[in-house]
């Protein structure tokens, strides 16, 4: 914690200029890059439901180790979620240093943003707001995935979306994560000069276009995916049980008499 304070103040206890802010910035970039790229993979895996329920079932079992275990183990998924969760928390804590620390600072920033109407300033603001929202929503989702990894699948996930009324939660999380993730990756490219070439200004304009294309693509994919889970959840709740659900999931479903 004292490291974070030193990072925030930019000075060591004996008043020297600290190298810590640069180090913390580096860790924030590295964890952000990992999470941004992880989310691309995540969106494709979750959208496997768009291909078919069978395919999503196969993907789920693959993550449970079906390739090398006779009985796939959801505990493996819990372990991966725990690791992602830890990286997510480190990233969020490092990001918190940069949030306005009181309401007056926040108001000053907002006024500045409205006056400037500058893209980068607006992006920073979106990044801060979505990051704040994700701290709660992302943590809740990760905790749920970690403790209920055995319920991930064409039936469990669809039932959660529809019967447990989780779709509004996922809708907000989806917008937050897609805006935050693509702005984050864009800012990483600008900050560390990746793909800069000879004309930095031109590269920035191109990167902004790519950023928007990525946001629109993943938002579209995410909305379709969400729609598919809700549709199957609706069908399940009306008594249509998928033959590919694991026995325990079907039992649970019948027991509660939905
Ligand atoms: C290893 C970690 C993770 C696993 C195993 C996982 C798993 C899943 C699963 C199975 C779903 C489908 C719905 C459900 O079953 O409840 C889902 C949806 C979703 N997850 Fe994750 N997730 C992980 C990490 C994250 C993170 C870090 C975020 C962002 C902070 C995130 C954001 C979302 C969003 C926005 C959806 C809705 C997707 C859509 O509508 O297309 N997930 N996740």
């Amino acid at each position: 914690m004292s490291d974070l304070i030193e990072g925030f103040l930019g000075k060591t206890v004996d008043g020297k200029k600290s190298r810590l802010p640069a180090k913390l910035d580096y860790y924030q970039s590295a964890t952000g890059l990992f999470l941004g790229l992880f989310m691309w993979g995540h969106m494709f895996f979750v959208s496997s439901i768009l291909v078919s329920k069978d395919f999503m079932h196969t993907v789920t079992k693959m993550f449970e180790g079906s390739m090398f275990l006779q009985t796939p183990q959801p505990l493996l998924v819990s372990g991966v979620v725990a690791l992602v969760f830890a990286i997510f928390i480190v990233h969020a804590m490092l990001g918190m240093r940069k949030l306005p620390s009181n309401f007056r600072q926040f108001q000053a920033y907002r006024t500045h943003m409205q006056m400037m109407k500058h893209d980068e300033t607006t992006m920073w603001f979106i990044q801060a707001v979505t990051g704040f929202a994700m701290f709660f929503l992302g943590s809740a989702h990760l905790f749920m995935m970690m403790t209920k990894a055995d319920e991930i699948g064409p039936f469990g996930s669809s039932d959660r979306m529809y019967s447990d009324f989780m779709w509004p939660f996922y809708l907000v999380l989806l917008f937050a994560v897609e805006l935050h993730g693509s702005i984050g990756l864009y800012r990483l490219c600008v900050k560390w000069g990746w793909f800069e070439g000879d004309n930095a200004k031109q590269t920035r304009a191109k990167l902004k276009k790519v950023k928007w294309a990525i946001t629109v693509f993943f938002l579209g994919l995410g909305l379709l995916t969400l729609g598919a889970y809700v549709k199957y959840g609706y069908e399940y709740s009306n008594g249509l049980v998928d033959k590919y659900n694991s026995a325990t999931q079907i039992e649970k479903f019948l027991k509660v008499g939905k």
Side-chain angles (χ1 to χ4, degrees), residues 35 38-39 42-43 46-47 56 77 80-82 84 88 134 137-139 141-142 144-145 151-153 156-158 160-161 170-171 173-175 177-178 218 221-223 225-226 229:
L35 290 167
F38 164 84
M39 275 319 288
H42 167 285
M43 293 308 286
V46 172
S47 68
M56 198 237 170
V77 176
V80 174
V81 182
V84 174
F88 177 84
M134 275 206 301
L137 302 178
S139 298
H141 172 57
L142 284 162
M144 203 160 36
M145 292 299 109
E151 289 180 11
I152 296 174
S157 299
S158 306
R160 192 179 0 258
M161 288 283 185
Y170 278 116
L171 190 63
L173 181 59
L174 178 67
F175 273 87
V177 79
E178 293 318 332
F218 280 110
L221 183 71
L223 288 173
T225 303
L226 199 65
Y229 283 116

Side-chain angles (χ1 to χ4, degrees), residues 200-219:
K201 215 173 158 188
Q202 221 172 37
T203 313
R204 235 178 225 224
K206 273 190 202 148
L207 282 174
K208 260 184 214 164
K209 279 190 192 145
V210 175
K211 175 188 79 63
W212 271 114
I214 290 174
T215 305
V216 170
F217 172 76
F218 280 110
L219 266 182

Side-chain angles (χ1 to χ4, degrees), residues 128-176:
V129 172
T130 52
F132 185 73
M134 275 206 301
F135 188 64
F136 302 100
L137 302 178
S139 298
H141 172 57
L142 284 162
F143 187 75
M144 203 160 36
M145 292 299 109
M146 191 168 70
T147 53
K148 295 190 170 182
D150 58 322
E151 289 180 11
I152 296 174
F155 168 73
S157 299
S158 306
D159 196 46
R160 192 179 0 258
M161 288 283 185
Y162 184 78
S163 305
D164 296 348
F165 202 64
M166 285 302 287
W167 66 264
F169 167 94
Y170 278 116
L171 190 63
V172 179
L173 181 59
L174 178 67
F175 273 87

Side-chain angles (χ1 to χ4, degrees), residues 72-192:
Q73 293 297 333
L75 209 63
L76 287 180
V77 176
S78 299
V80 174
V81 182
L83 184 74
V84 174
F85 206 172
I87 296 172
F88 177 84
I89 289 173
V90 170
H91 182 74
M93 296 215 21
L94 292 172
M96 266 179 208
R97 292 173 303 149
K98 306 209 171 141
L99 291 180
S101 56
N102 57 44
F103 189 65
R104 264 176 93 178
Q105 267 187 18
F106 172 79
Q107 268 185 323
Y109 185 84
R110 215 178 47 173
T111 314
H112 175 79
M113 184 181 76
Q114 279 158 358
M115 273 164 44
M116 298 274 289
K117 288 204 184 351
H118 184 247
D119 263 12
E120 306 285 329
T121 322
T122 311
M123 270 193 241
W124 188 91
F125 189 75
I126 297 175
Q127 192 80 344
V129 172
T130 52
F132 185 73
M134 275 206 301
F135 188 64
F136 302 100
L137 302 178
S139 298
H141 172 57
L142 284 162
F143 187 75
M144 203 160 36
M145 292 299 109
M146 191 168 70
T147 53
K148 295 190 170 182
D150 58 322
E151 289 180 11
I152 296 174
F155 168 73
S157 299
S158 306
D159 196 46
R160 192 179 0 258
M161 288 283 185
Y162 184 78
S163 305
D164 296 348
F165 202 64
M166 285 302 287
W167 66 264
F169 167 94
Y170 278 116
L171 190 63
V172 179
L173 181 59
L174 178 67
F175 273 87
V177 79
E178 293 318 332
L179 288 171
H180 192 93
S182 52
I183 293 177
L185 290 174
Y186 162 82
R187 291 175 65 86
L188 274 184
C189 293
V190 172
K191 182 169 180 167
W192 300 102

Side-chain angles (χ1 to χ4, degrees), residues 51-87:
V51 177
S52 72
K53 291 183 217 171
D54 307 13
F55 186 56
M56 198 237 170
H57 178 82
T58 309
V59 170
T60 308
K61 293 296 148 197
M62 196 185 79
F63 281 111
E64 292 175 6
S66 63
M67 283 192 295
F68 47 90
L69 295 174
Q70 244 177 3
T71 319
Q73 293 297 333
L75 209 63
L76 287 180
V77 176
S78 299
V80 174
V81 182
L83 184 74
V84 174
F85 206 172
I87 296 172

